[in-house]
């Protein structure tokens, strides 16, 4: 049996539009209603027939929903939830796709007291944003981490998990604080490093920007993909997951200093041992189907 029959998606960008497409492809009898704060996005969503219905107000989008999924930047979650509070059916479950969970759970609980709130985070994405960037297979073979509050109804958790199963994701249940720590190191810190490296390269005086771009295949270009990610989304992630990111950044700075020292003192063994361990991590990611085994990320040359 399908876990929901009327799903509302608020925020029709990369993730919201991918979820709309995936639900329509893998659960075609589910009615999908969409809303976005941006009139231009609503117009595009209608033009590309993204949902069964796109409403002009958030309230109108939820009146008969049995699931509402908020797909807006993490610091806009509370405002988006407040907008639907008066029109939300009593039995509806509210979920979200935000990249950090403790802060979002606090925002949703404050805006929708007493409601069934089951947050989730599909660990899938690209560097593109907007309704035309989405695609139905985005969640296939990726993890979706469901982070229910301690007192959540297990049946509601099971229904949200089943939705993500149906669109192709593997589901794991996790405590919100632990999620934030794990994602700080696997996602947030790598983005911060990429933003830094690309920023540093563009500020150099002795190496020109055209040289940086010309010789980017040496490694730099792989950071630029991550550093091209949506500025609003990532500003919000760093501010909403401040404690975990600062903790991981501290650890990273210490490890970077150790590497700096190894280079200064010609400690080749330290460098070799680290690089051997990191190579093994790459192999594990490929073995677990989380990336393409082809060399150079499968680029055609
Ligand atoms: P996106 O492509 O920028 O889409 C977000 C959309 O939400 C925009 O159209 C935005 O309109 C709209 N919006 C903002 N505030 C709103 C509000 N109060 N009510 C209704 N609509 C509102 O972003 P995205 O990449 O899909 O990210 C959405 C969420 O998914 C974020 O919480 C992010 O952390 C999470 N996530 C992203 C990824 C990823 O790789 N991109 C992966 C997993 C999870 P405006 O542009 O006019 O503000």
């Amino acid at each position: 049996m399908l876990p929901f029959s009327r799903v509302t998606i608020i925020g029709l960008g990369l993730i919201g539009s991918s979820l709309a497409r995936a639900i329509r492809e893998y659960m075609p009898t589910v009615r999908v209603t969409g809303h976005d704060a941006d009139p231009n996005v609503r117009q595009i969503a209608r033009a590309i027939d993204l949902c069964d219905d796109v409403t002009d107000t958030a309230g109108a989008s939820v009146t008969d929903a049995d699931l509402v999924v908020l797909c807006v930047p993490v610091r806009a979650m509370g405002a988006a939830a407040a907008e639907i509070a008066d029109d939300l059916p009593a039995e509806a479950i509210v979920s979200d796709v935000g990249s950090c969970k403790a802060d979002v759970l606090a925002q949703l609980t404050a805006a929708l007291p007493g409601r069934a709130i089951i947050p989730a985070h599909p660990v899938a994405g690209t560097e593109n944003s907007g309704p035309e960037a989405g695609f139905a297979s985005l969640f296939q073979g990726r993890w979706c981490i469901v982070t229910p509050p301690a007192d959540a109804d297990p049946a509601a958790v099971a229904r949200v998990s089943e939705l993500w199963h149906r669109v192709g994701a593997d589901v794991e249940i996790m405590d919100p604080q632990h999620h934030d720590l794990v994602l700080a190191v696997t996602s947030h810190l790598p983005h911060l490093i990429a933003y830094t490296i690309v920023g540093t390269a563009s500020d150099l005086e002795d190496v020109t920007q055209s040289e940086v771009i010309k010789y980017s295949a040496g490694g730099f270009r792989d950071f630029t993909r991550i550093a091209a990610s949506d500025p609003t989304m990532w500003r919000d992630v760093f501010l909403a997951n401040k404690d975990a990111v600062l903790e991981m950044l501290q650890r990273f700075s210490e490890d970077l200093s150790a590497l700096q020292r190894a280079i200064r003192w010609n400690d080749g063994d330290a460098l070799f041992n680290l690089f051997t361990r990191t190579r093994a991590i790459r192999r594990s990611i490929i073995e677990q189907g989380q990336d393409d085994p082809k060399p150079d990320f499968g680029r055609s040359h």
Side-chain angles (χ1 to χ4, degrees):
M1 205 177 86
L2 291 170
F4 300 100
S5 55
R6 293 173 309 279
V7 177
T8 294
I9 298 173
I10 296 186
L12 299 173
L14 170 70
I15 302 296
S17 72
S18 293
L19 184 58
R21 286 178 172 93
I23 292 174
R24 291 183 97 190
E25 180 153 339
Y26 305 117
M27 291 175 275
T29 58
V30 172
R31 185 176 168 76
V32 180
T33 303
H35 169 72
D36 195 285
D38 185 338
N40 189 37
V41 170
R42 297 200 294 269
Q43 195 190 343
I44 295 169
R46 288 183 185 116
I48 62 175
D49 191 29
L50 187 65
C51 306
D52 296 300
D53 190 16
V54 175
T55 66
D56 285 334
T57 65
S61 73
V62 302
T63 49
D64 67 349
D66 52 7
L67 174 70
V68 178
V69 188
L70 302 176
C71 302
V72 302
V74 288
R75 288 207 307 169
M77 292 286 181
E83 274 189 77
I84 60 170
D86 291 344
D87 298 285
L88 191 66
E91 301 302 316
I93 294 174
V94 176
S95 188
D96 76 292
V97 295
S99 303
C100 29
K101 305 296 354 159
D103 182 84
V104 169
L105 178 61
Q107 290 183 54
L108 299 188
T109 312
L112 301 167
R115 299 305 195 122
I117 298 166
I118 312 291
H121 174 205
V123 187
T126 73
E127 64 278 28
N128 298 325
S129 39
E132 289 160 303
F135 50 99
S137 62
L138 177 64
F139 312 110
Q140 291 285 333
R142 300 275 88 90
W143 285 99
C144 180
I145 306 175
V146 177
T147 59
D151 60 352
D153 173 10
V157 178
R159 288 173 71 194
V160 170
S161 301
E162 179 60 18
L163 177 99
W164 286 104
H165 271 306
R166 297 259 181 164
V167 297
D170 294 320
V171 174
E172 185 123 328
I173 311 288
M174 210 182 270
D175 165 76
Q177 273 80 16
H178 187 65
H179 164 281
D180 289 354
L181 209 55
V182 172
L183 270 292
V185 70
T186 58
S187 171
H188 309 168
L189 187 61
H191 275 80
L192 201 66
I193 293 167
Y195 282 125
T196 314
I197 291 178
V198 177
T200 302
S202 70
D203 290 341
L204 293 175
E205 285 131 29
D206 299 337
V207 179
T208 65
Q209 275 212 28
S210 66
E211 285 173 312
V212 170
I213 291 165
K214 186 170 166 186
Y215 301 116
S216 65
F220 179 74
R221 69 176 180 197
D222 295 334
F223 287 100
T224 62
R225 186 192 70 75
I226 298 180
S229 299
D230 190 70
T232 305
M233 172 189 157
W234 283 97
R235 175 203 62 196
D236 281 17
V237 167
F238 291 120
L239 297 181
N241 198 22
K242 182 187 281 187
D243 292 345
V245 170
L246 290 178
E247 161 78 21
M248 289 303 164
L249 199 55
Q250 178 62 31
R251 299 283 291 261
F252 175 74
S253 308
E254 289 167 16
D255 291 346
L256 196 61
S257 299
L259 267 186
Q260 200 175 2
R261 196 180 156 78
I263 294 169
R264 187 182 307 285
W265 296 104
N266 297 313
D267 187 352
D269 288 348
L271 298 176
F272 187 84
N273 291 341
L274 175 68
F275 302 163
T276 306
R277 272 201 291 134
T278 55
R279 194 174 223 194
I281 289 180
R282 172 74 189 160
R283 285 204 197 101
S284 308
I285 289 170
I286 290 166
E287 275 161 25
Q288 291 186 25
Q290 294 300 306
D291 204 359
D292 197 315
K294 293 191 200 96
D296 199 15
F297 304 112
R299 286 186 180 105
S300 58
H301 288 276

